[in-house]
Amino acid sequence: MSSAILECSNLTKTFGAVTAVDGVTLDIPCGSIVGLLGPNASGKSTFLKLCNKLLSPTSGEVRIAGYKPGMESKRLVSYLPERSYLNDWMKVCDIIDLFADFYPDFNKDKAGNMLQKLNIKRSDRLKTMSRGTKEKVQLILVMSREAQLYLLDEPIGGVDPAARDFILDVILANYDPAATIVLSTHLIADIERILEQVIFIKEGRIILNKTVDKIREESGKSVDALFREVFRC
Amino acid sequence: MLTRLLKHEFRATARIFLPFYLVLILFALINRFLSFEMLSRLESMAPPFGIAGAVGSLVLLLRLIYFILVAGVLVATLLVMIQRFNKNLFGDEGYLMLTLPVPLWQHIVSKLITATVWVIASGLVTTGSILLLSAKAAPWPRVWETLFAFRDIFGSAGLFLFPGAALLTLVSSILMIYAAIALGHLSPRYRLLASLAWYAVLSFALKALLLGISMALFLSQTWSIDFADIAADPTRINLIIAWFWLLPTAILSGCFFFITNHILNRRLNLE
């Protein structure tokens, strides 16, 4: 088996005349926190959906730990989509049961502790929660899995700066160094401190794939500064 | 994993159906006891202040609510069936359901079993509520009588074959709705409209097929079917049912299942 947890070869996805992901070829190694960075509509979410088999590629392929997206890869991947997938009628305990039923690597205690820190009760109904709280619950569920690959799509997109810190702390606190996190966002300044590697994506193409240290060494700039330079309108 | 999917599917749907059934039964009981006979008794007692008229309006209102509830249960059964499949797999909830480590065919099967159970339950509860409302005596002697008459015509095998064929027809109808939703999902825009259009296309194709089978059954000389002869022989009736009802329905169900599973597996595009 390859040491890369995620491998893409010439991965392309088109929607009619629009090419959302354009011939992406890349390897993401095991045990790193990778930022998938790009402006809105650059293809970040499409790329993560392709990795989760929620979209079918137009051409090329993606492999996770050597598996094509499917049953095996779903066991290894913990995915946080950019939208809420929680059923409003559910209570927190219902959604915890669902995760525990289907994911053997789901750690109920870990989820319980994190919910307690946020004063969210197991009997709380999701429909009574604000959007931000729901996003936090969703992140807690995703990070309570002991997965090999976490694919987090805009985890800090819709929350206030204080909540962003909480979310980043949750990610770091639950991060197993053997696992890999791919985190997509356009809010670079907030997450730069946790990134080890960054991938810049523009109009569906990978335009940069380097470690944070190398970027600082070569350009003398922070990732945020380089991002602003590369994606200047 | 299928049993776990079923557990969550039943949990998600029971919260809608069980209260509905309870209210329907309750209104059937209220209607039974607050009936027009009671009204006529009240009138015969000639109460003062027009009480009979007020109770009459109340009885009418309760009857109306009951009939609205009956229609509501039937509409809700259909809507929940469509909604659970469409929203739970092809809507935002699909981001959770379709990333669970479960073979995709099990999602279809779990939703199919749940929908079949609720359609049958809605039918039974509605029939039961009508009996509760109007039956003068226990219906069981009539039920046994009908079953025996049925057995005389179709034989003992027919007692299983007919419900089996009816169940398969129900399954096939649900799978056709699923296939139409999945085919509509292939459209880049207006997916709901596309699903409705696909449902119309599939219905038309199904009717054409049924017509073809009926024509073949009635007109073909090659099979030399003598209906007078068949009517006297339960075994031959059942064979005709098996060949011309069960088999085509089973093949159609297989096709609808294959289409839905193929789209979920190979052509999924959650946008």
Side-chain angles (χ1 to χ4, degrees), chain A residues 13 49 74 83 87 101, chain B residues 4 7 92-93 98 269:
Chain A
K13 178 67 189 174
K49 283 200 244 178
K74 286 173 189 175
R83 62 186 71 196
N87 286 282
D101 270 353
Chain B
R4 289 174 197 182
K7 179 183 113 182
D92 284 355
E93 290 163 26
L98 298 175
N269 280 307

Side-chain angles (χ1 to χ4, degrees), chain B residues 161-195:
Chain B
L161 201 63
F162 256 100
L167 182 67
L168 195 59
T169 306
L170 172 62
V171 164
S172 175
S173 310
I174 296 170
L175 282 171
M176 190 166 90
I177 293 173
Y178 290 174
I181 293 170
L183 284 164
H185 176 80
L186 295 178
S187 171
R189 269 179 285 174
Y190 309 116
R191 288 179 167 174
L192 195 63
L193 274 178
S195 296

Side-chain angles (χ1 to χ4, degrees), chain B residues 85-156:
Chain B
F85 191 78
N86 189 39
K87 210 175 150 199
N88 199 236
L89 295 184
F90 292 109
D92 284 355
E93 290 163 26
Y95 283 77
L96 171 63
M97 299 310 288
L98 298 175
T99 49
L100 295 176
V102 174
L104 292 172
W105 65 266
Q106 291 193 3
H107 286 289
I108 307 171
V109 172
S110 71
K111 287 187 167 36
L112 176 65
I113 292 173
T114 318
T116 307
V117 167
W118 288 123
V119 169
I120 294 170
S122 292
L124 289 175
V125 170
T126 306
T127 313
S129 77
I130 292 169
L131 287 173
L132 266 179
L133 179 75
S134 57
K136 300 266 186 289
W140 312 121
R142 288 286 297 277
V143 172
W144 291 124
E145 212 174 279
T146 313
L147 277 179
F148 285 128
F150 190 85
R151 196 189 59 179
D152 290 342
I153 302 169
F154 297 103
S156 299

Side-chain angles (χ1 to χ4, degrees), chain B residues 35-262:
Chain B
S35 61
F36 286 107
E37 286 134 57
M38 185 186 148
L39 183 65
S40 60
R41 278 204 297 277
L42 268 175
E43 271 173 350
S44 68
M45 293 187 321
F49 314 121
I51 288 174
V55 174
S57 307
L58 183 66
V59 169
L60 268 177
L61 183 69
L62 287 169
R63 282 282 150 102
L64 188 68
I65 293 174
Y66 172 75
F67 287 117
I68 290 171
L69 277 171
V70 169
V73 165
L74 302 179
V75 170
T77 309
L78 182 69
L79 285 184
V80 169
M81 177 205 299
I82 295 170
Q83 182 84 334
R84 278 303 295 171
F85 191 78
N86 189 39
K87 210 175 150 199
N88 199 236
L89 295 184
F90 292 109
D92 284 355
E93 290 163 26
Y95 283 77
L96 171 63
M97 299 310 288
L98 298 175
T99 49
L100 295 176
V102 174
L104 292 172
W105 65 266
Q106 291 193 3
H107 286 289
I108 307 171
V109 172
S110 71
K111 287 187 167 36
L112 176 65
I113 292 173
T114 318
T116 307
V117 167
W118 288 123
V119 169
I120 294 170
S122 292
L124 289 175
V125 170
T126 306
T127 313
S129 77
I130 292 169
L131 287 173
L132 266 179
L133 179 75
S134 57
K136 300 266 186 289
W140 312 121
R142 288 286 297 277
V143 172
W144 291 124
E145 212 174 279
T146 313
L147 277 179
F148 285 128
F150 190 85
R151 196 189 59 179
D152 290 342
I153 302 169
F154 297 103
S156 299
L159 284 178
F160 298 99
L161 201 63
F162 256 100
L167 182 67
L168 195 59
T169 306
L170 172 62
V171 164
S172 175
S173 310
I174 296 170
L175 282 171
M176 190 166 90
I177 293 173
Y178 290 174
I181 293 170
L183 284 164
H185 176 80
L186 295 178
S187 171
R189 269 179 285 174
Y190 309 116
R191 288 179 167 174
L192 195 63
L193 274 178
S195 296
L196 285 171
W198 271 111
Y199 186 76
V201 168
L202 292 177
S203 301
F204 181 77
L206 186 65
K207 285 197 174 74
L209 186 74
L210 284 175
L211 189 69
I213 290 173
S214 314
M215 296 272 277
L217 190 63
F218 283 98
L219 299 178
S220 177
Q221 294 299 309
T222 49
W223 292 321
S224 320
I225 296 166
D226 182 347
F227 286 96
D229 186 31
I230 290 168
D233 183 356
T235 316
R236 290 201 65 191
I237 295 178
N238 290 335
L239 265 177
I240 294 277
I241 291 168
W243 279 105
F244 292 100
W245 184 3
L246 266 178
L247 188 68
T249 314
I251 292 171
L252 273 174
S253 302
C255 291
F256 294 143
F257 186 87
F258 175 80
I259 290 168
T260 313
N261 191 44
H262 176 77

Side-chain angles (χ1 to χ4, degrees), chain A:
Chain A
M1 196 183 284
S2 158
S3 63
I5 185 77
L6 199 156
E7 299 161 276
C8 295
S9 156
N10 207 22
L11 189 66
T12 301
K13 178 67 189 174
T14 57
F15 297 103
V18 179
T19 304
V21 172
D22 192 359
V24 168
T25 298
L26 73 98
D27 287 357
I28 292 179
C30 295
S32 53
I33 302 182
V34 182
L36 181 64
L37 313 177
N40 292 326
S42 55
K44 305 184 296 289
S45 295
T46 305
F47 174 74
L48 294 180
K49 283 200 244 178
L50 285 164
C51 296
N52 283 289
K53 216 186 170 196
L54 294 173
L55 290 175
S56 310
T58 308
S59 63
E61 68 166 21
V62 55
R63 284 184 181 268
I64 287 150
Y67 301 110
K68 280 187 173 182
M71 270 281 287
E72 291 302 326
S73 73
K74 286 173 189 175
R75 282 199 189 102
L76 308 175
V77 175
S78 192
Y79 170 54
L80 179 80
E82 94 276 26
R83 62 186 71 196
S84 172
Y85 55 43
L86 302 172
N87 286 282
D88 267 356
W89 60 269
M90 279 182 158
K91 289 179 186 168
V92 172
C93 57
D94 295 328
I95 190 77
I96 284 180
D97 279 352
L98 191 138
F99 266 70
D101 270 353
F102 289 100
Y103 296 114
D105 60 9
F106 182 73
N107 188 329
K108 261 185 163 178
D109 295 336
K110 203 190 250 188
N113 290 338
M114 282 192 268
L115 288 167
Q116 207 170 14
K117 274 185 200 162
L118 281 177
N119 285 326
I120 297 172
K121 295 187 194 77
R122 288 170 62 89
S123 57
D124 286 354
R125 278 189 191 279
L126 293 162
K127 74 173 166 197
T128 61
M129 292 177 185
S130 68
R131 187 177 155 216
T133 309
K134 271 189 215 168
E135 283 186 11
K136 285 178 206 158
V137 170
Q138 206 159 290
L139 180 79
I140 285 171
L141 292 166
V142 167
M143 293 311 295
S144 297
R145 283 188 59 199
E146 276 145 22
Q148 286 187 31
L149 175 62
Y150 297 86
L151 298 175
L152 313 179
D153 195 357
E154 299 281 2
I156 55 170
V159 292
D160 58 77
R164 279 176 205 166
D165 286 341
F166 168 81
I167 287 170
L168 295 179
D169 289 344
V170 166
I171 293 172
L172 283 178
N174 294 284
Y175 173 57
D176 168 8
T180 303
I181 296 177
V182 177
L183 194 152
S184 93
T185 189
H186 58 276
L187 303 166
I188 322 293
D190 292 296
I191 61 146
E192 186 165 348
R193 66 180 168 100
I194 71 165
L195 297 180
E196 290 167 357
Q197 186 180 338
V198 293
I199 296 168
F200 280 5
I201 184 166
K202 187 180 186 184
E203 290 163 6
R205 291 197 198 99
I206 303 292
I207 55 168
L208 182 138
N209 182 3
K210 281 183 184 168
T211 62
V212 172
D213 289 344
K214 206 161 186 183
I215 287 174
R216 285 182 187 139
E217 192 184 301
E218 286 178 0
S219 66
K221 292 175 182 152
S222 68
V223 175
D224 187 39
L226 185 65
F227 182 88
R228 286 169 197 271
E229 190 181 300
V230 171
F231 292 102
R232 182 171 292 135
C233 295

